[in-house]
Amino acid sequence: MQYKRILLKLSGEALMGEKQYGIDPKRIAEYAEEIKEVVEKGIQVAIVIGGGNIFRGLAGAATGMDRVQGDHMGMLATVINALALQSALENVDVQTRVQSAIKINEVAEPFIRRRAMRHLEKGRVVIFGGGTGNPYFTTDSAAVLRAIEVEADVILKGTRVDGIYTSDPEKDVNATKFDTISFADVLLKGLKVMDTTAFTLSQENELPIVVFDMNTRGNLLKIVDGQNIGTVVNV
Ligand code: UDP
């Protein structure tokens, strides 16, 4: 296996599956199976999950809501998703812990770095909810931050597309995929991988990012096994 400890970033929207809102039980069960395969290979798995399937602070602000209030709602949405993913993983007998950046002690542990690392060493999947705990950030930033903190080897960004393209492959038939690309080239070419804050944090800390299609069965294991089926962003 190429990686020993991974940080998997899943967007909230990915959990919607075919639905327009919320959580698709079939999709989350499929993700749990994919994650279980990787855990069974002895890979240590940390996960950051988004909340866009439930609420985004920017969407609230667009309707006149205070941005910070909206971001708090968005962060709570990520906790809901984290709990749902924990349930799905437990249904397939994978041991997990949820750690939240917002204190919500009755339902999740607070984020404690050393404790998170201990869970990982013991083979438990650690799901980080609540984003960074701060408004005006995204869960991509939370993913990079947590990956660096727990010393993950790589951040795996599971998306609907199978990598980074020269232009949007859903709009441009001539778009071609990069197998690997440097952080500098992503910026130079103006490509969109993560928001700028998250991307820069990853670059400064030389944390590689792999963008891949999470919706094809077996892909997560292939990535962890070192098969380049997505795009690797590296220094
Ligand atoms: N959010 C936040 N701080 C964070 C992470 C998330 O305020 O550190 C809020 C923000 O409102 C965001 C929402 O939570 O819109 C959901 O997260 P995100 O949009 O990153 O989810 P995704 O797009 O991955 O589903």
Side-chain angles (χ1 to χ4, degrees):
M1 294 287 138
Q2 180 167 0
Y3 305 112
K4 191 169 182 298
R5 181 176 289 171
I6 62 167
L7 184 307
L8 175 65
K9 163 73 208 301
L10 296 174
S11 75
E13 275 177 7
L15 298 185
M16 294 194 302
E18 304 301 315
K19 296 169 64 164
Q20 298 299 311
Y21 178 84
I23 299 163
D24 175 6
K26 193 167 152 275
R27 173 56 54 84
I28 204 166
E30 285 164 4
Y31 282 172
E33 288 289 352
E34 295 276 301
I35 294 161
K36 180 185 169 121
E37 278 179 13
V38 168
V39 172
E40 282 177 343
K41 294 281 178 199
I43 310 302
Q44 298 179 14
V45 181
I47 302 174
V48 167
I49 190 139
N53 56 324
I54 300 173
F55 200 83
R56 280 207 176 93
L58 267 179
T63 64
M65 182 185 279
D66 176 66
R67 169 72 192 268
V68 176
Q69 182 88 340
D71 280 343
H72 287 157
M73 291 171 68
M75 285 187 263
L76 291 175
T78 72
V79 177
I80 293 176
N81 285 334
L83 294 177
L85 185 59
Q86 178 173 44
S87 269
L89 285 165
E90 283 178 344
N91 282 344
V92 292
D93 299 320
V94 175
Q95 286 215 35
T96 70
R97 295 289 187 274
V98 173
Q99 290 202 343
S100 174
I102 297 175
K103 285 193 196 68
I104 181 165
N105 294 343
E106 281 74 13
V107 293
E109 292 179 8
F111 170 65
I112 298 172
R113 175 184 179 244
R114 283 174 194 278
R115 190 187 274 190
M117 290 175 85
R118 187 80 187 111
H119 288 321
L120 291 170
E121 282 160 8
K122 285 188 171 173
R124 296 174 187 141
V125 172
V126 181
I127 307 168
F128 295 116
T132 63
N134 301 290
Y136 297 99
F137 285 90
T138 63
T139 49
D140 276 354
S141 289
V144 176
L145 178 64
R146 294 295 182 241
I148 300 163
E149 283 181 287
V150 303
E151 296 167 7
D153 304 318
V154 66
I155 172 157
L156 305 181
K157 187 172 156 85
T159 66
R160 294 185 299 179
V161 286
D162 62 350
I164 302 167
Y165 282 76
T166 46
S167 54
D168 186 347
E170 289 176 348
K171 291 182 190 142
D172 180 359
V173 285
N174 295 319
T176 53
K177 193 179 91 152
F178 296 98
D179 291 331
T180 56
I181 187 166
S182 66
F183 284 100
D185 274 350
V186 168
L187 294 174
L188 201 68
K189 294 179 198 295
L191 302 171
K192 185 106 192 62
V193 179
M194 289 179 171
D195 63 86
T196 321
T197 311
F199 190 78
T200 314
L201 190 61
S202 212
Q203 181 178 26
E204 281 174 355
N205 291 280
E206 300 185 2
L207 173 75
I209 306 169
V210 180
V211 179
F212 74 106
D213 167 19
M214 180 70 192
N215 294 338
T216 302
R217 196 91 178 82
N219 269 4
L220 183 60
L221 188 58
K222 283 185 189 159
I223 295 278
V224 172
D225 192 30
Q227 297 180 43
N228 191 1
I229 52 165
T231 300
V232 183
V233 186
N234 217 332
V235 281

